[in-house]
Structures are given as C-alpha cells and as structure tokens.
Amino acid sequence: MSHCKVPALIEAQVEMGSVNELEHKSLFRREEEDEDATQIKEASLMEQGSLSPSFHGHTTAKSPKNSVVKSINIVILSNKLNMLLPFGPLAILVHYMIDSKGWVFLLSLIGITPLAERLGYATEQLAFYTGPTVGGLLNATFGNVTELIISIFALKNGMIRVVQQTLLGSILSNMLLVLGCAFFCGGLVFHQKDQVFDKGIAVVNSGLLLMAVMGILFPAVLYYTHSEVHTGSSELALSRFSSCIMLIAYAAYLFFQLKSQSSSYSPLEEETNQNEETSDEDEDPEISKWEAIIWLSILTAWVSLLSGYLVDAIEGASVSWNIPIAFISVILLPIVGNAAEHAGAIMFAMKDKLDLSLGVAIGSSIQISMFVVPFCVVIGWMMGEQMDLNFQLFETAMLFITVIVVAFFLQEGTSNYFKGLMLILCYLIVAASFFVHEDPHQDGI
C-alpha cells in the first residue's frame, strides 16, 4: 500500500507544482499587460501635448541655480544647430546694405530654423514646473509659434494667400515628410519586424484631421458652385463660423485629453516611482522656471523680428529666383517650423517609440489645422482682413487627398520602411505640383 501511495503523492505534488507555475505565469502575464497598458496611456497623453515627457509622473522639479553665463551656455552654445543663429543678424545687415530680397529671404529662413528648435526646448523646460493642464496648453501654444508669428506678419501685410499656403504646407509637411521619414528611418533600424503604434489613437487623429478638411472644404465648395446666398460675403461668414466651431472642438479635445485621460493616468504614479528614482538625472530641468520664461520671451521676440524681414522678402525672392510664391509658401517656409519636429520624430522612431513619433507629426498637423488656421481667421477678422477658409480648389484637393492617404496608412496600426518611403514619395509629388502651379488668386495676397 505504501508503494502505491508514493507515486500518487508524487503525482499530486507535480500537479500542485504545475498549478503554481501556471498561476505564476498568469500573474506575470497580467503584470506585463498592465505595464503595456501603462505605456500606451502615457504615450497617448504625450502624443497630443497634454503630457510631455518632462512631467512624467509629475513631481516638483528641482530648480537649478544658473548664472547668466551658464544659462547662455546651456541654451545657446550647447546645441550644434545654433551655429546657424548668426544668419539672422546677417539677414538684417544684407537688408539695409544690399537690399537683395533673395538673400534676405534665404538668410532669414536659415536664421529662424534654430530659433524654432530652441523655442521647443524652452517650452519643454518650462513644462517641468507645470502640471499636465498648463503643460498641454504651453505645447499647443508654442508648438507651432513660428508658423503663427509668420502668419500674423503676413496678415498685417495683407498677404492672405501666403498665410493659407504656409499653414497648408506645414500640415502637408508634417503628415507626409515628417511622418514618412520617421516610418522610413524606424523601419530601417527595425527592418526585421513591423513597428507597432496605438491604432485607436491614430483613428481619433485621422477623424480630427478629416473634420479640419471638412471645415476647409465647404467654403471652397460654396465658392466654386456659385451657390452663395450673398455673393462674396456668405463664404467669409461660413469661414468665420466654422473657425469658431473648430476652435471649440479643439478646446474640447484638449479638455478630454487633459481631464478624462489624466484621471486614468493618476494611479500609475505608484507604479512608476522606481523608474523615476533611476531616471531623475535625465528628468531634472536644466534651467529654472524664470530662465525658461525669459528665454521664451527673447526667442519669440527674435523670431518676430526675423519673420518681418522674411515676409517682406517673399515676393522679391520669388522674382529673383524665378520660383512661384506658392512653392515658397507651401514647401520652403514650413521647413523652418518643422525642423525640430522632423528631428524629434525620427529620433523617437529609431528608438521604437512610434507612438511619440506619431504624436509629433500628426499631433502638430492637428494643432495647425484645428487651432492655428481658425485662429488666423479670427485674428484676420479682428484686423479687418478677409482671411477665410477657402484655400482654393487646387490646395483643398491636395489636403483632402493627403489626409485620406495618411489615414489609410495608419489604419493597420503598424509601420515599416516601405510605408515611410511611400509617404516621402507622395510629398515629392506634392512639391513638384506646387513648383509648376501658378496661383490664379495671387493678386489677393
């Protein structure tokens, strides 16, 4: 009998061991799933600017005490891109000494590029000292401040078509060139697999972009079908009404991200305490809050100054270079504002953080289309300028097709270098189209 009990006992122990092992595996798998959910929530918040990496699991940041010389060294001398800063003063010198519009435009364009990147850096540093709500608003405001400043200067000069085409070009550049380069470079680094991003967030982003297209499309359709109730005024009235609706929609979207999403993020603080301890050195701010505010003011003022010379030289540069103003506005000007986003999106993709790359590229497109464009319509309204959402047939069709193409590429939730290459090639087609496009409404600038 004892011999019979031993195998039974051993069998029971084996069964108990296998049950314990299964329970351990299921617990481990559940922890992995929770960790994945955590990362997805973090990425979704960071993606829309409502939560930047700088206030991950927001704690009170340690404010460094820097001297003036050290602050200048950190903000100005530490970045190699700032080697282009002297081109700004050089553009002003050329304006007064030679008055060559082509050279003034080129030098101003190069001089603004590092300023756009440093504006993003100063905003990120200031976000260390704010919560997610203020940080999200800062990112929404200063994320595309370069395009906004250039647009306001162009509006003051009555160059409505330049404003429309510059903002359109920034949207196209982010969706095709920036996102395409991110997919392409990330796909080359991780060529053995498809990179994955949050499909649900991508669908929401595509919906917002389609809403922006709807707001821009309807005034153009109203104009070209000659179906206005009051010729010449109904289109403008519709544009102003739609702009107010788009601003409300964008504010609601920010509120949804900051309030509804942040409540689901708050329980993660305890889980990320250990990670915060190990990464405190990386997450500590480099400059104090007041330094960040002062640098934001200085950089914004310098961008405003150079933008004035840049906008004044656009028409002269078009004549001297024999390049259409549409090409300069849609292709060349957005390169300035998107330089920092371009580099950031590629860097995140090469680290397999594709959700952040998507947030940089598509998030910026949403900000411009849902915030900057309607805001410029409202500003033009206040200035007495007839800035509207009728971007004309050629530009509106280009935007509509681009959003549809990008939405198709995002619907699977995966990316590879082939998809990135296709987006880049699409952007080259867009660039070539505007190079041979003569704007029939250029007298309206």
Side-chain angles (χ1 to χ4, degrees), residues 22-305:
L22 286 172
E23 289 179 353
H24 178 71
K25 286 182 178 179
S26 64
L27 285 172
F28 183 73
R29 191 178 299 112
R30 196 176 300 118
E31 288 176 0
E32 281 187 335
E33 290 174 355
D34 292 342
E35 187 177 350
D36 290 341
T38 295
Q39 292 175 351
I40 290 171
K41 288 175 184 176
E42 292 177 23
S44 67
L45 289 169
M46 285 188 284
E47 183 171 297
Q48 302 305 329
S50 58
L51 180 69
S52 77
S54 33
F55 39 83
H56 172 76
H58 178 67
T59 56
T60 304
K62 300 176 182 177
S63 179
K65 296 180 179 179
N66 299 322
S67 63
V68 176
V69 175
K70 188 176 180 182
S71 181
I72 293 173
N73 183 59
I74 291 172
V75 178
I76 302 298
L77 303 179
S78 63
N79 194 338
K80 293 180 180 179
L81 188 63
N82 290 340
M83 293 174 64
L84 301 177
L85 284 174
F87 284 92
L90 189 60
I92 298 175
L93 285 176
V94 169
H95 173 78
Y96 288 106
M97 295 178 65
I98 305 175
D99 196 25
S100 173
K101 297 296 186 183
W103 280 106
V104 171
F105 176 81
L106 179 62
L107 294 173
S108 300
L109 196 70
I110 297 173
I112 289 178
T113 303
L115 295 175
E117 190 276 332
R118 288 291 86 183
L119 273 170
Y121 169 80
T123 305
E124 180 185 347
Q125 292 296 305
L126 186 58
F128 276 106
Y129 305 98
T130 64
T133 303
V134 179
L137 294 175
L138 279 173
N139 287 333
T141 305
F142 286 97
N144 295 291
V145 71
T146 308
E147 291 95 333
L148 191 57
I149 291 173
I150 292 175
S151 299
I152 290 174
F153 270 94
L155 272 177
K156 285 179 65 178
N157 292 354
M159 304 170 72
I160 294 174
R161 290 296 293 151
V162 170
V163 176
Q164 292 177 331
Q165 291 171 343
T166 301
L167 296 178
L168 172 74
S170 191
I171 298 170
L172 297 177
S173 173
N174 275 301
M175 285 196 295
L176 294 177
L177 184 62
V178 176
L179 187 63
C181 287
F183 280 3
F184 183 73
C185 294
L188 289 181
V189 174
F190 300 95
H191 60 275
Q192 70 278 8
K193 65 168 187 176
D194 276 356
Q195 291 182 286
V196 180
F197 53 86
D198 194 315
K199 184 178 177 180
I201 293 175
V203 170
V204 173
N205 290 343
S206 300
L208 281 170
L209 288 171
L210 284 170
M211 179 182 178
V213 169
M214 185 175 71
I216 294 172
L217 179 66
F218 287 176
V221 171
L222 185 68
Y223 175 79
Y224 282 100
T225 54
H226 306 288
S227 55
E228 298 170 274
V229 175
H230 303 289
T231 305
S233 60
S234 295
E235 169 203 340
L236 184 61
L238 176 61
S239 297
R240 289 170 175 173
F241 176 79
S242 298
S243 296
C244 294
I245 296 298
M246 289 164 73
L247 287 173
I248 293 171
Y250 186 72
Y253 177 62
L254 278 182
F255 179 82
F256 171 76
Q257 287 291 318
L258 297 172
K259 297 297 182 182
S260 302
Q261 297 280 342
S262 62
S263 61
S264 61
Y265 178 75
S266 56
L268 305 175
E269 291 181 0
E270 295 181 1
E271 298 177 19
T272 56
N273 279 339
Q274 295 180 350
N275 292 334
E276 287 173 12
E277 291 175 3
T278 58
S279 60
D280 274 344
E281 293 182 2
D282 295 335
E283 295 193 1
D284 281 343
E286 296 180 351
I287 57 178
S288 68
K289 179 174 70 174
W290 285 107
E291 284 179 87
I293 293 172
I294 291 170
W295 278 114
L296 270 177
S297 304
I298 293 172
L299 292 169
T300 303
W302 187 231
V303 168
S304 301
L305 180 64

Side-chain angles (χ1 to χ4, degrees), residues 193-437:
K193 65 168 187 176
D194 276 356
Q195 291 182 286
V196 180
F197 53 86
D198 194 315
K199 184 178 177 180
I201 293 175
V203 170
V204 173
N205 290 343
S206 300
L208 281 170
L209 288 171
L210 284 170
M211 179 182 178
V213 169
M214 185 175 71
I216 294 172
L217 179 66
F218 287 176
V221 171
L222 185 68
Y223 175 79
Y224 282 100
T225 54
H226 306 288
S227 55
E228 298 170 274
V229 175
H230 303 289
T231 305
S233 60
S234 295
E235 169 203 340
L236 184 61
L238 176 61
S239 297
R240 289 170 175 173
F241 176 79
S242 298
S243 296
C244 294
I245 296 298
M246 289 164 73
L247 287 173
I248 293 171
Y250 186 72
Y253 177 62
L254 278 182
F255 179 82
F256 171 76
Q257 287 291 318
L258 297 172
K259 297 297 182 182
S260 302
Q261 297 280 342
S262 62
S263 61
S264 61
Y265 178 75
S266 56
L268 305 175
E269 291 181 0
E270 295 181 1
E271 298 177 19
T272 56
N273 279 339
Q274 295 180 350
N275 292 334
E276 287 173 12
E277 291 175 3
T278 58
S279 60
D280 274 344
E281 293 182 2
D282 295 335
E283 295 193 1
D284 281 343
E286 296 180 351
I287 57 178
S288 68
K289 179 174 70 174
W290 285 107
E291 284 179 87
I293 293 172
I294 291 170
W295 278 114
L296 270 177
S297 304
I298 293 172
L299 292 169
T300 303
W302 187 231
V303 168
S304 301
L305 180 64
L306 282 183
S307 296
Y309 291 98
L310 181 73
V311 170
D312 287 338
I314 287 178
E315 293 184 51
S318 172
V319 173
S320 61
W321 294 350
N322 196 25
I323 295 177
I325 292 181
F327 181 82
I328 292 176
S329 302
V330 176
I331 305 301
L332 296 184
L333 287 181
I335 291 175
V336 174
N338 295 335
E341 283 124 336
H342 204 150
I346 293 175
M347 179 188 69
F348 286 131
M350 293 178 71
K351 293 179 179 179
D352 204 17
K353 297 179 180 179
L354 212 60
D355 280 306
L356 297 182
S357 294
L358 220 66
V360 169
I362 303 299
S364 183
S365 297
I366 291 172
Q367 285 179 2
I368 294 170
S369 58
M370 294 291 291
F371 173 70
V372 179
V373 170
F375 184 73
C376 284
V377 172
V378 174
I379 290 294
W381 190 1
M382 295 177 180
M383 289 180 177
E385 297 288 344
Q386 294 190 347
M387 168 75 183
D388 58 22
L389 294 177
N390 179 12
F391 281 34
Q392 306 305 324
L393 186 61
F394 184 82
E395 289 85 349
T396 305
M398 198 76 70
L399 177 63
F400 178 71
I401 297 298
T402 297
V403 171
I404 295 297
V405 168
V406 172
F408 270 104
F409 274 103
L410 296 180
Q411 67 178 350
E412 291 181 350
T414 61
S415 77
N416 47 55
Y417 70 88
F418 176 73
K419 287 184 177 180
L421 180 62
M422 292 300 102
L423 290 176
I424 294 171
L425 294 179
C426 287
Y427 185 75
L428 293 180
I429 294 174
V430 169
S433 301
F434 279 101
F435 189 78
V436 297
H437 172 64

